Amino acid sequence: MSSANIAAVSAFVEGTPPGELADVIADIKALTVDEPHLLQSASAAFKKYNEAQLTTVKLPGGSQHVLVTPYNSLGGGRYYDVASHSSFAFDHTTQKASAVQSHTLESQHTDLINSLLKALGTHAAEHYTSSTYGVFPTTADDHTLALLLVANKYSPSNFWYPPSLAPPPPTTNPALPHRNGRWRTTYLLTPSASGASLTGTLQVDVHYYEDGNVRLTSTKPVTLSVGSASAAEVVRQMALAERKYQEELNRGFAALSEGAFKSLRRQLPVTRQKVEWEKVGGYRLGQEIGGGRAR
């Protein structure tokens, strides 16, 4: 097998939209039947993808999802979770966890970590329909903490059909589009006696099908001033930053709907009828992208 083929497969894996890794793997297998070991040769790409995406997984016998990230890696394909006091093996290709063992975190910031987990839980319940979060020491000297939150929304079986076209298959819901999305929050907190330093990134990745293929990726770096290293104040500052970012995204969506997307439309769509742009809110794409409202 050539290095070029391995690089191509790795690029496909690392560029996979949220919730679609199994589909990408199936497509790669179909395209590389003459090189059955090609996927195995791209194992580093699967690890890089899962850790960068803050992949979530349920532990065997567990009810809650836990995170797979570079911050809670123990090496050798094992990761740990603070809240459940456990470690586990993770298969980066199948995205399955196994071999759960007891694991106790040893950190000078144990009390702060537990307080942050509690505050993050309240924040997540208030602002996200479904999410997974974690707090982990990031360095061997236990000086900096990583605060992570990921929220996923998958609707892979829905495909919207315009009323003028053929009706949808019986297995789909015409009221819902085919889309997958992921919100990621990554912060690095450095506590000190005089306060705390808090920097990080907010990331949105949405893959949207509407008789076509649209993908949105957005990253917002943030640096926050935190006067106190208390969990309540840290999470309060995070919530303010996330709200501001969401408002910026909503303004950007509105500008896209009225600007770039309008200019990209063909003069006459496949329905052979002119698009009445003053009524764009009635169209599904305009409704979903241009008509969002910040929480």
Side-chain angles (χ1 to χ4, degrees), residues 5-15 28 41-45:
N5 286 348
I6 296 175
V9 168
S10 297
F12 278 124
V13 171
E14 293 174 23
I28 291 174
S41 300
S43 58

PDB file of all heavy atoms in Angstrom, residues 5-15 28 41-45:
ATOM      1  N   ASN A   5      -1.996   6.684  -0.415  1.00  0.00           N
ATOM      2  CA  ASN A   5      -3.309   6.141  -0.098  1.00  0.00           C
ATOM      3  C   ASN A   5      -3.599   6.240   1.399  1.00  0.00           C
ATOM      4  O   ASN A   5      -4.727   6.544   1.815  1.00  0.00           O
ATOM      5  CB  ASN A   5      -3.402   4.684  -0.542  1.00  0.00           C
ATOM      6  CG  ASN A   5      -3.525   4.546  -2.046  1.00  0.00           C
ATOM      7  OD1 ASN A   5      -3.759   5.530  -2.750  1.00  0.00           O
ATOM      8  ND2 ASN A   5      -3.347   3.333  -2.557  1.00  0.00           N
ATOM      9  N   ILE A   6      -2.575   5.982   2.218  1.00  0.00           N
ATOM     10  CA  ILE A   6      -2.750   6.105   3.668  1.00  0.00           C
ATOM     11  C   ILE A   6      -3.053   7.548   4.041  1.00  0.00           C
ATOM     12  O   ILE A   6      -3.923   7.830   4.867  1.00  0.00           O
ATOM     13  CB  ILE A   6      -1.490   5.608   4.407  1.00  0.00           C
ATOM     14  CG1 ILE A   6      -1.282   4.119   4.162  1.00  0.00           C
ATOM     15  CG2 ILE A   6      -1.603   5.893   5.903  1.00  0.00           C
ATOM     16  CD1 ILE A   6      -0.003   3.570   4.745  1.00  0.00           C
ATOM     17  N   ALA A   7      -2.341   8.488   3.398  1.00  0.00           N
ATOM     18  CA  ALA A   7      -2.574   9.907   3.664  1.00  0.00           C
ATOM     19  C   ALA A   7      -3.984  10.311   3.249  1.00  0.00           C
ATOM     20  O   ALA A   7      -4.652  11.098   3.939  1.00  0.00           O
ATOM     21  CB  ALA A   7      -1.546  10.755   2.935  1.00  0.00           C
ATOM     22  N   ALA A   8      -4.469   9.764   2.127  1.00  0.00           N
ATOM     23  CA  ALA A   8      -5.815  10.102   1.650  1.00  0.00           C
ATOM     24  C   ALA A   8      -6.875   9.569   2.610  1.00  0.00           C
ATOM     25  O   ALA A   8      -7.832  10.278   2.963  1.00  0.00           O
ATOM     26  CB  ALA A   8      -6.029   9.537   0.244  1.00  0.00           C
ATOM     27  N   VAL A   9      -6.718   8.324   3.058  1.00  0.00           N
ATOM     28  CA  VAL A   9      -7.667   7.746   4.001  1.00  0.00           C
ATOM     29  C   VAL A   9      -7.640   8.514   5.316  1.00  0.00           C
ATOM     30  O   VAL A   9      -8.687   8.804   5.912  1.00  0.00           O
ATOM     31  CB  VAL A   9      -7.347   6.258   4.233  1.00  0.00           C
ATOM     32  CG1 VAL A   9      -8.136   5.712   5.420  1.00  0.00           C
ATOM     33  CG2 VAL A   9      -7.671   5.452   2.984  1.00  0.00           C
ATOM     34  N   SER A  10      -6.448   8.878   5.776  1.00  0.00           N
ATOM     35  CA  SER A  10      -6.323   9.639   7.022  1.00  0.00           C
ATOM     36  C   SER A  10      -7.046  10.974   6.915  1.00  0.00           C
ATOM     37  O   SER A  10      -7.703  11.421   7.862  1.00  0.00           O
ATOM     38  CB  SER A  10      -4.849   9.860   7.361  1.00  0.00           C
ATOM     39  OG  SER A  10      -4.184   8.628   7.585  1.00  0.00           O
ATOM     40  N   ALA A  11      -6.937  11.616   5.746  1.00  0.00           N
ATOM     41  CA  ALA A  11      -7.613  12.902   5.543  1.00  0.00           C
ATOM     42  C   ALA A  11      -9.129  12.737   5.583  1.00  0.00           C
ATOM     43  O   ALA A  11      -9.841  13.575   6.142  1.00  0.00           O
ATOM     44  CB  ALA A  11      -7.175  13.515   4.216  1.00  0.00           C
ATOM     45  N   PHE A  12      -9.630  11.648   4.989  1.00  0.00           N
ATOM     46  CA  PHE A  12     -11.069  11.381   5.042  1.00  0.00           C
ATOM     47  C   PHE A  12     -11.527  11.195   6.489  1.00  0.00           C
ATOM     48  O   PHE A  12     -12.558  11.733   6.906  1.00  0.00           O
ATOM     49  CB  PHE A  12     -11.421  10.127   4.239  1.00  0.00           C
ATOM     50  CG  PHE A  12     -11.555  10.360   2.761  1.00  0.00           C
ATOM     51  CD1 PHE A  12     -10.808   9.638   1.851  1.00  0.00           C
ATOM     52  CD2 PHE A  12     -12.443  11.312   2.267  1.00  0.00           C
ATOM     53  CE1 PHE A  12     -10.922   9.856   0.489  1.00  0.00           C
ATOM     54  CE2 PHE A  12     -12.571  11.536   0.901  1.00  0.00           C
ATOM     55  CZ  PHE A  12     -11.806  10.800   0.010  1.00  0.00           C
ATOM     56  N   VAL A  13     -10.765  10.426   7.252  1.00  0.00           N
ATOM     57  CA  VAL A  13     -11.133  10.146   8.638  1.00  0.00           C
ATOM     58  C   VAL A  13     -11.128  11.425   9.468  1.00  0.00           C
ATOM     59  O   VAL A  13     -12.081  11.735  10.186  1.00  0.00           O
ATOM     60  CB  VAL A  13     -10.173   9.103   9.248  1.00  0.00           C
ATOM     61  CG1 VAL A  13     -10.403   8.979  10.755  1.00  0.00           C
ATOM     62  CG2 VAL A  13     -10.356   7.749   8.576  1.00  0.00           C
ATOM     63  N   GLU A  14     -10.056  12.200   9.365  1.00  0.00           N
ATOM     64  CA  GLU A  14      -9.925  13.411  10.177  1.00  0.00           C
ATOM     65  C   GLU A  14     -10.933  14.484   9.792  1.00  0.00           C
ATOM     66  O   GLU A  14     -11.239  15.363  10.591  1.00  0.00           O
ATOM     67  CB  GLU A  14      -8.499  13.953  10.062  1.00  0.00           C
ATOM     68  CG  GLU A  14      -7.459  13.035  10.695  1.00  0.00           C
ATOM     69  CD  GLU A  14      -6.035  13.513  10.461  1.00  0.00           C
ATOM     70  OE1 GLU A  14      -5.854  14.733  10.202  1.00  0.00           O
ATOM     71  OE2 GLU A  14      -5.103  12.687  10.516  1.00  0.00           O
ATOM     72  N   GLY A  15     -11.471  14.407   8.579  1.00  0.00           N
ATOM     73  CA  GLY A  15     -12.466  15.376   8.142  1.00  0.00           C
ATOM     74  C   GLY A  15     -13.896  14.903   8.283  1.00  0.00           C
ATOM     75  O   GLY A  15     -14.825  15.553   7.792  1.00  0.00           O
ATOM     76  N   ILE A  28     -14.971   3.992   2.841  1.00  0.00           N
ATOM     77  CA  ILE A  28     -13.552   3.724   2.595  1.00  0.00           C
ATOM     78  C   ILE A  28     -13.344   2.247   2.270  1.00  0.00           C
ATOM     79  O   ILE A  28     -12.597   1.891   1.345  1.00  0.00           O
ATOM     80  CB  ILE A  28     -12.706   4.136   3.810  1.00  0.00           C
ATOM     81  CG1 ILE A  28     -12.706   5.664   3.960  1.00  0.00           C
ATOM     82  CG2 ILE A  28     -11.271   3.632   3.663  1.00  0.00           C
ATOM     83  CD1 ILE A  28     -12.032   6.157   5.208  1.00  0.00           C
ATOM     84  N   SER A  41      -3.826   0.784   8.789  1.00  0.00           N
ATOM     85  CA  SER A  41      -2.624   1.605   8.651  1.00  0.00           C
ATOM     86  C   SER A  41      -2.887   3.066   8.991  1.00  0.00           C
ATOM     87  O   SER A  41      -1.950   3.828   9.217  1.00  0.00           O
ATOM     88  CB  SER A  41      -2.081   1.498   7.215  1.00  0.00           C
ATOM     89  OG  SER A  41      -1.755   0.162   6.895  1.00  0.00           O
ATOM     90  N   ALA A  42      -4.167   3.458   9.020  1.00  0.00           N
ATOM     91  CA  ALA A  42      -4.526   4.841   9.343  1.00  0.00           C
ATOM     92  C   ALA A  42      -4.993   4.966  10.791  1.00  0.00           C
ATOM     93  O   ALA A  42      -5.736   5.880  11.130  1.00  0.00           O
ATOM     94  CB  ALA A  42      -5.629   5.321   8.395  1.00  0.00           C
ATOM     95  N   SER A  43      -4.548   4.060  11.656  1.00  0.00           N
ATOM     96  CA  SER A  43      -5.005   4.054  13.047  1.00  0.00           C
ATOM     97  C   SER A  43      -4.695   5.363  13.769  1.00  0.00           C
ATOM     98  O   SER A  43      -5.471   5.812  14.621  1.00  0.00           O
ATOM     99  CB  SER A  43      -4.362   2.884  13.797  1.00  0.00           C
ATOM    100  OG  SER A  43      -2.940   2.970  13.744  1.00  0.00           O
ATOM    101  N   ALA A  44      -3.577   6.000  13.430  1.00  0.00           N
ATOM    102  CA  ALA A  44      -3.231   7.270  14.089  1.00  0.00           C
ATOM    103  C   ALA A  44      -4.265   8.351  13.778  1.00  0.00           C
ATOM    104  O   ALA A  44      -4.545   9.215  14.622  1.00  0.00           O
ATOM    105  CB  ALA A  44      -1.842   7.726  13.641  1.00  0.00           C
ATOM    106  N   ALA A  45      -4.843   8.301  12.580  1.00  0.00           N
ATOM    107  CA  ALA A  45      -5.853   9.296  12.196  1.00  0.00           C
ATOM    108  C   ALA A  45      -7.126   9.114  13.020  1.00  0.00           C
ATOM    109  O   ALA A  45      -7.773  10.099  13.407  1.00  0.00           O
ATOM    110  CB  ALA A  45      -6.161   9.188  10.711  1.00  0.00           C
TER     111      ALA A  45
END
